[in-house]
C-alpha cells in the first residue's frame, strides 16, 4: 500500500552522455530555429524513454556564457518539453547565441514548438519538376 502512494509517473527525458550517442543523432532529422538547432533521431526502440543532450560550441562565448545557455535549455526541457518528447527518440539541442538574450518564456515556447513539430513531407527524388 505504501508503494502505491509513492509511485509517480516519470515524464522527464534521460540524458545523452557519450560522444558516440551524440554522433548517432547527427544522422537524424534537423529542425532549425533562430535560438537553437534541434537534431532528432529515432532509435526504433519505442519501449525505452526519450533521451536529450545539449551542445554549445566555443564560438558562442566564454565558459560562463556557454554554461548559462546550457542551464537555460536544460530547465526549459525539464519544465515544458520533457512530456512532449517521443519515447525511443534521441534529441540534441545545439544552442545559438540568441538563446542567451531571449526571454525564458520565448525560449521554452520555441523549444516546445520544435519538439512537437512533425517532419514535413519530402519531395520524391525521381527528377520530375514540381509543377507537372
Amino acid at each position: 500500500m505504501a508503494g502505491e502512494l509513492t509511485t509517480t509517473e516519470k515524464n522527464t527525458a534521460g540524458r545523452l552522455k557519450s560522444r558516440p550517442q551524440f554522433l548517432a543523432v547527427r544522422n537524424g532529422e534537423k529542425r532549425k530555429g533562430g535560438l537553437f538547432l534541434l537534431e532528432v533521431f529515432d532509435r526504433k526502440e519505442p519501449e525505452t524513454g526519450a533521451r536529450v543532450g545539449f551542445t554549445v560550441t566555443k564560438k558562442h562565448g566564454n565558459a560562463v556564457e556557454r554554461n548559462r545557455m546550457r542551464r537555460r535549455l536544460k530547465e526549459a526541457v525539464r519544465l515544458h518539453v520533457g512530456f512532449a518528447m517521443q519515447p525511443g527518440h534521441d534529441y540534441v539541442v545545439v544552442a545559438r547565441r540568441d538563446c542567451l538574450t531571449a526571454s525564458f518564456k520565448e525560449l521554452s515556447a520555441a523549444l516546445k514548438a520544435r519538439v512537437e513539430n512533425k517532419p514535413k513531407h519530402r519531395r520524391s527524388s525521381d527528377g520530375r519538376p514540381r509543377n507537372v
Side-chain angles (χ1 to χ4, degrees):
M1 187 162 132
E4 295 174 358
L5 297 175
T6 58
T7 58
T8 58
E9 184 177 328
K10 185 178 177 186
N11 62 358
T12 58
R15 294 291 307 275
L16 295 175
K17 295 183 180 179
S18 67
R19 180 168 168 78
Q21 292 173 337
F22 278 85
L23 292 177
V25 177
R26 291 181 75 182
N27 296 327
E29 174 191 354
K30 292 170 179 42
R31 301 176 186 173
K32 297 178 182 178
L35 303 175
F36 53 85
L37 166 70
L38 181 68
E39 297 173 332
V40 182
F41 181 68
D42 185 3
R43 288 179 282 141
K44 307 273 193 279
E45 299 174 2
E47 65 279 353
T48 61
R51 299 184 303 184
V52 64
F54 302 92
T55 301
V56 184
T57 62
K58 284 188 174 183
K59 70 179 180 180
H60 292 306
N62 61 19
V64 173
E65 293 169 335
R66 293 193 310 266
N67 286 331
R68 188 180 304 141
M69 286 185 252
R70 193 176 296 111
R71 283 194 310 267
R72 294 183 83 210
L73 288 169
K74 283 181 184 180
E75 190 66 8
V77 167
R78 186 181 73 82
L79 291 176
H80 301 288
V81 185
F83 67 92
M85 293 184 170
Q86 297 177 1
H89 285 69
D90 287 343
Y91 298 85
V92 172
V93 182
V94 181
R96 295 205 169 123
R97 181 77 179 173
D98 291 336
C99 83
L100 188 60
T101 57
S103 70
F104 186 74
K105 187 175 184 179
E106 180 184 353
L107 180 66
S108 300
L111 190 56
K112 184 177 178 184
R114 289 283 174 260
V115 168
E116 292 176 345
N117 183 18
K118 301 294 181 204
K120 295 183 174 84
H121 181 67
R122 295 186 181 185
R123 208 170 6 137
S124 64
S125 60
D126 58 2
R128 294 184 308 160
R130 289 179 91 171
N131 57 0
V132 172

